[in-house]
Amino acid sequence: MACILHIETATEVCSVAVSKDGELIFQREETKGPSHAVLLGTFVDEATKELRSKGLKLDAVAVSCGPGSYTGLRIGVSEAKGLCYGLNIPMIAIGTLKLMASAVAKKGLVDPAILLCPMIDARRMEVYDALFDSQLTLVRDVKADIIDETSFIEILKDQKIAFFGNGSAKCKDALQSPNAIFVENVYPSAIDMVDLAEDVFAKKEFVDSAYFEPFYLKEFVATIAKNKVLPPHQNVK
């Protein structure tokens, strides 16, 4: 058991929590983002002040490592790296989709026989997703899927699947099978990282904070506003 700071910034939600011996002792969360660059440092500062007031020291930092928002993940992992380096403590990486599946399973939101499919919005009809059973065993690998009426069709013939996360709402019209179940108001949160992080800490399955990179799944592609594009005849020097 340990004192662990948990950071989650993979979606529009920014959250920070601290657990001591598996019990939550601090939490801050903002769901109306994205404003991670402003909020995360403030939340972490409040968490460290709370620790000092209780005479506690951190044993590790856990961070949700993706897939998800490129910018959000970069901010969260950078903060975790800085803390681990400065405090000389280990870093724990928690997969964001597994984190979401764990929250649904732990809260008993669906029957244990139903497969769990967390979905994170990747714009248009694309989502980052994976399939887990109720024991969090990975049934289908993490993918970037473009959802249409044929998605998951073979599995849905014989098996119920619970879809949730900020990517699932836009998939309701496409996934018309009676075996497709949609669970609302599920998002990755630092408060749901506690059990997963404690398990990793006990097994000492830490990542190298000096070289670790978030699991972006896809390369970041910058876009340029149309009014910023130069006409073909203009040259940039």
Side-chain angles (χ1 to χ4, degrees), residues 23-230:
E23 297 295 327
L24 196 66
I25 62 173
F26 173 90
Q27 65 180 84
R28 285 295 309 274
E29 184 169 274
E30 175 56 65
T31 61
K32 299 178 181 178
S35 51
H36 305 338
V38 176
L39 292 177
L40 183 58
T42 300
F43 289 173
V44 169
D45 185 57
E46 291 175 4
T48 55
K49 287 178 180 177
E50 181 73 11
L51 286 169
R52 286 196 295 269
S53 73
K54 297 178 181 296
L56 298 173
K57 292 184 179 180
L58 286 176
D59 296 304
V61 176
V63 64
S64 177
C65 64
S69 159
Y70 180 92
T71 301
L73 290 171
R74 184 161 50 86
I75 291 171
V77 169
S78 295
E79 181 76 18
K81 284 185 171 188
L83 289 167
C84 290
Y85 178 80
L87 298 173
N88 193 28
I89 56 177
M91 181 171 156
I92 296 168
I94 303 294
T96 307
L97 296 174
K98 184 176 182 179
L99 167 61
M100 296 167 65
S102 174
V104 170
K106 183 178 179 180
K107 295 171 184 175
L109 298 181
V110 298
D111 187 279
I114 298 174
L115 292 179
L116 306 174
C117 185
M119 288 181 161
I120 293 177
D121 191 0
R123 298 183 181 180
R124 298 186 178 88
M125 286 303 290
E126 188 171 22
V127 297
Y128 303 132
D129 60 29
L131 280 178
F132 298 87
D133 65 17
S134 60
Q135 301 302 309
L136 303 185
T137 300
L138 193 62
V139 175
R140 200 194 74 164
D141 287 341
V142 177
K143 293 183 179 181
D145 280 330
I146 297 175
I147 303 299
D148 59 26
E149 64 277 2
T150 66
S151 300
F152 302 96
I153 190 168
E154 292 301 320
I155 301 174
L156 286 168
K157 286 179 180 177
D158 306 305
Q159 174 72 55
K160 290 184 177 181
I161 302 176
F163 299 94
F164 48 90
N166 67 358
S168 64
K170 66 184 183 182
C171 300
K172 283 186 176 181
D173 290 340
L175 302 174
Q176 290 290 325
S177 169
N179 281 336
I181 300 167
F182 292 86
V183 183
E184 297 183 354
N185 300 319
V186 177
Y187 55 85
S189 174
I191 64 175
D192 295 317
M193 296 174 67
V194 176
D195 289 346
L196 295 174
E198 282 283 348
D199 183 59
V200 173
F201 187 90
K203 296 175 181 177
K204 299 188 183 301
E205 295 175 344
F206 308 124
V207 296
D208 188 334
S209 58
Y211 298 101
F212 181 77
E213 292 293 332
F215 180 36
Y216 294 121
L217 193 56
K218 294 197 306 180
E219 292 295 327
F220 176 70
V221 178
T223 58
I224 302 174
K226 291 182 179 180
N227 63 350
K228 299 296 183 180
V229 179
L230 293 175

